[in-house]
Amino acid sequence: MAAILAMMFTFIFFCSSSLAATITYNVLTMGAKPDGKTDSTKAFLTAWASACALAKPATIYVPPGRYLLRAAYFGGQNCKNPAITLRVDGTLVAPSDYRVIGNAGSWLKFESVSGVSIYGGTLDGQGSGLWACKASGRNCPSGATTLAFYSSNNIVINGLTSLNSQRFHIVMDGCHNAKLQAVKVSASGGSPNTDGIHLQSSSGVTILNSDIRTGDDCISIGPGNSNLWIETISCGPGHGISIGSLGWDLQEPGVQNVTVKDVTFTGTQNGVRIKTWSRASNGFVKGVLFQHIVMVNVDNPVIINQNYCPDDHNCPNQVSGVKISDVSYDNIHGTSGTQVAVKFYCSKEHPCSGIRLEDINLTYKDQTAKASCVNADGTALGSVQPTSCL
C-alpha cells in the first residue's frame, strides 16, 4: 500500500508541476473588454509583455466576446520566452473606420518572434468600407494586412478564421518553420488585394486543411521562398494559387521546392498559376509539383504567364528574365471556364524547360478543351487532355 501511495504522490506531483509550468494571462484581467467597443489594445500588449518577460512557456487567453484592437505590434527582440501560446475563444475586431489602421501596414504584427502558436479565434478586419472607397476611385489608404509575421521562426497557426481583411489576410515574410492548419479565410470575391495567405522570403512553411474564399489569390508565393508544402486546400472564389508575381527586381531570390496537392478550385479566375513580370531579372522557379487537383469551372486551370505587365507600364523590354524549370502537373481533372484550359506563355529569352504533364483531363462545356504553348518545352505522359502542346 505504501508503494502505491508513493506512486500516486509522484504522479500527482509531476502533473501539478507540468500544469504549473505554463502560466496563463487572461486578457480580461489585463483590462480588456469583450464588448467590441472599448479599445483593448493596451490589455493585449500588456499580456504580451508579461508573457515575454518569462523565461518559460506562457499562454495568453482570450475568452469569448468581441475585442476592439487598433494596430498592435508584438515584438520578440527582447522576448525571453521560447514558447508563447495564444488561445483565442473570442473575436478580435478592427476599428470600423478603415482610416484608423489603413496606413499601418499591418493590423496585428509579430516580428522577430520564435515559438509563437495561435489556436482558434476569429480576426475581423472590417475591410468592406475600404473596399468601397477603392471601388469609388477616391483617394484611399492602401489597407492593412490582418495578421503578419516578419523574421520569425517556429510558428503555429491552427483553427484561425480571418474575415474581411482590408488587404492581405495572413502574411509570412522572412519566416522559417511555420505550420498553418485548419485556417479559414473569408472575404467577398470582389474585394481587392485580399490574398488569403501570402508567403515571402520564407522556408519550411506548411499549409494544411484550409478553406480560403477571397477576392485575390487564395495563396500567393512571392520571391525567395523554398521548401513549401501546401495540401488539402479549398479555394474559391479567388484568383487561385499563384507563384508570383516574380521578377520585378533585377536582383531577386528565386522560388524552389514547392508542393501543392489535393486542392479543389471552385469558380476561381485561375487554378495553379506561375506569373512573372516582363522585366529583366535573375529570378527563377524550379522544383514545383502540382498534384491531385480538381478544377470546377476555373477560367485558367493551368497557366504560366511570363508576359505580366498591367497597362504596359514599367516593362521596358517586354521580356521576362525569370527562368522556369522542372515544373510537374500530375492528376489534374475538372472543368475549365474558358476553351483554352492549359496556357504556357513563357519568356522568349528564357523558355520554360522541364515542364511535365501526366494524367490531365480538363474539359470545357462538355467538350475537349485546348492547350496553348509559347516558348515552352517538356513532356507529356499517360492520358493528357487537352492534347499537349509541349
Side-chain angles (χ1 to χ4, degrees):
M1 176 63 74
I4 294 174
L5 289 173
M7 290 176 63
M8 290 178 64
F9 175 81
T10 302
F11 177 76
I12 292 170
F13 174 80
F14 277 113
C15 285
S16 300
S17 298
S18 176
L19 289 171
T22 301
I23 294 178
T24 297
Y25 296 97
N26 189 321
V27 296
L28 293 180
T29 65
M30 302 289 177
K33 302 296 182 184
D35 58 10
K37 300 177 181 178
T38 305
D39 185 355
S40 295
T41 310
K42 183 178 179 180
F44 277 73
L45 293 177
T46 299
W48 174 260
S50 299
C52 271
L54 290 178
K56 57 183 179 181
T59 295
I60 298 172
Y61 178 60
V62 182
R66 291 175 65 83
Y67 301 84
L68 175 64
L69 268 70
R70 292 172 175 256
Y73 178 76
F74 302 91
Q77 295 87 343
N78 300 311
C79 201
K80 299 178 181 178
N81 201 316
I84 297 178
T85 298
L86 287 83
R87 294 199 174 274
V88 186
D89 287 335
T91 298
L92 310 189
V93 186
S96 57
D97 182 350
Y98 59 81
R99 293 169 295 185
V100 175
I101 64 169
N103 286 318
S106 302
W107 173 30
L108 307 173
K109 180 178 180 179
F110 291 79
E111 186 170 23
S112 300
V113 301
S114 183
V116 170
S117 301
I118 301 175
Y119 290 93
T122 298
L123 308 179
D124 186 353
Q126 299 211 96
S128 59
L130 179 60
W131 310 340
C133 178
K134 290 182 175 181
S136 71
R138 286 179 286 151
N139 186 22
C140 313
S142 59
T145 290
T146 287
L147 175 64
F149 281 85
Y150 288 90
S151 304
S152 298
N153 302 320
N154 307 319
I155 305 302
V156 173
I157 300 176
N158 193 316
L160 175 73
T161 297
S162 177
L163 305 176
N164 300 326
S165 181
Q166 287 191 356
R167 207 161 181 266
F168 293 1
H169 287 260
I170 299 172
V171 166
M172 293 274 168
D173 190 338
C175 296
H176 306 286
N177 299 323
K179 184 175 183 180
L180 292 75
Q181 187 167 2
V183 170
K184 293 184 178 179
V185 169
S186 180
S188 163
S191 56
N193 304 119
T194 52
D195 293 37
I197 300 171
H198 177 70
L199 308 178
Q200 184 103 359
S201 303
S202 296
S203 66
V205 179
T206 300
I207 305 172
L208 302 173
N209 304 313
S210 295
D211 183 2
I212 304 174
R213 310 176 186 199
T214 192
D216 211 298
D217 293 328
C218 291
I219 299 172
S220 54
I221 299 168
N225 286 294
S226 63
N227 303 323
L228 309 181
W229 190 278
I230 299 167
E231 183 176 3
T232 315
I233 307 295
S234 175
C235 170
H239 292 182
I241 294 180
S242 296
I243 297 176
S245 302
L246 305 178
W248 173 260
D249 293 322
L250 178 61
Q251 302 294 328
E252 184 176 278
V255 174
Q256 59 187 325
N257 300 333
V258 177
T259 296
V260 177
K261 63 186 298 185
D262 296 321
V263 179
T264 298
F265 296 94
T266 303
T268 52
Q269 187 181 96
N270 307 287
V272 290
R273 172 171 65 162
I274 300 174
K275 180 175 67 169
T276 74
W277 282 88
S278 294
R279 294 166 58 94
S281 176
N282 66 350
F284 64 86
V285 178
K286 65 180 180 181
V288 178
L289 172 63
F290 298 112
Q291 186 178 52
H292 307 320
I293 309 291
V294 175
M295 307 287 181
V296 182
N297 194 33
V298 174
D299 286 347
N300 301 295
V302 175
I303 180 169
I304 295 176
N305 178 14
Q306 293 204 260
N307 302 314
Y308 183 65
C309 189
D311 303 319
D312 289 329
H313 289 164
N314 301 309
C315 304
N317 299 317
Q318 296 292 317
V319 175
S320 175
V322 176
K323 298 179 181 179
I324 298 176
S325 63
D326 187 20
V327 180
S328 296
Y329 302 86
D330 180 19
N331 188 24
I332 300 179
H333 294 202
T335 57
S336 174
T338 59
Q339 191 169 21
V340 183
V342 176
K343 303 180 177 81
F344 295 137
Y345 300 146
C346 299
S347 169
K348 63 182 179 181
E349 181 177 320
H350 300 291
C352 298
S353 63
I355 306 299
R356 181 177 178 274
L357 299 172
E358 183 173 5
D359 188 17
I360 309 295
N361 186 6
L362 295 168
T363 60
Y364 169 66
K365 293 184 177 179
D366 297 324
Q367 302 173 13
T368 301
K370 295 181 179 181
S372 177
C373 296
V374 177
N375 304 317
D377 181 67
T379 58
L381 302 172
S383 176
V384 174
Q385 294 293 333
T387 302
S388 171
C389 55
L390 293 171

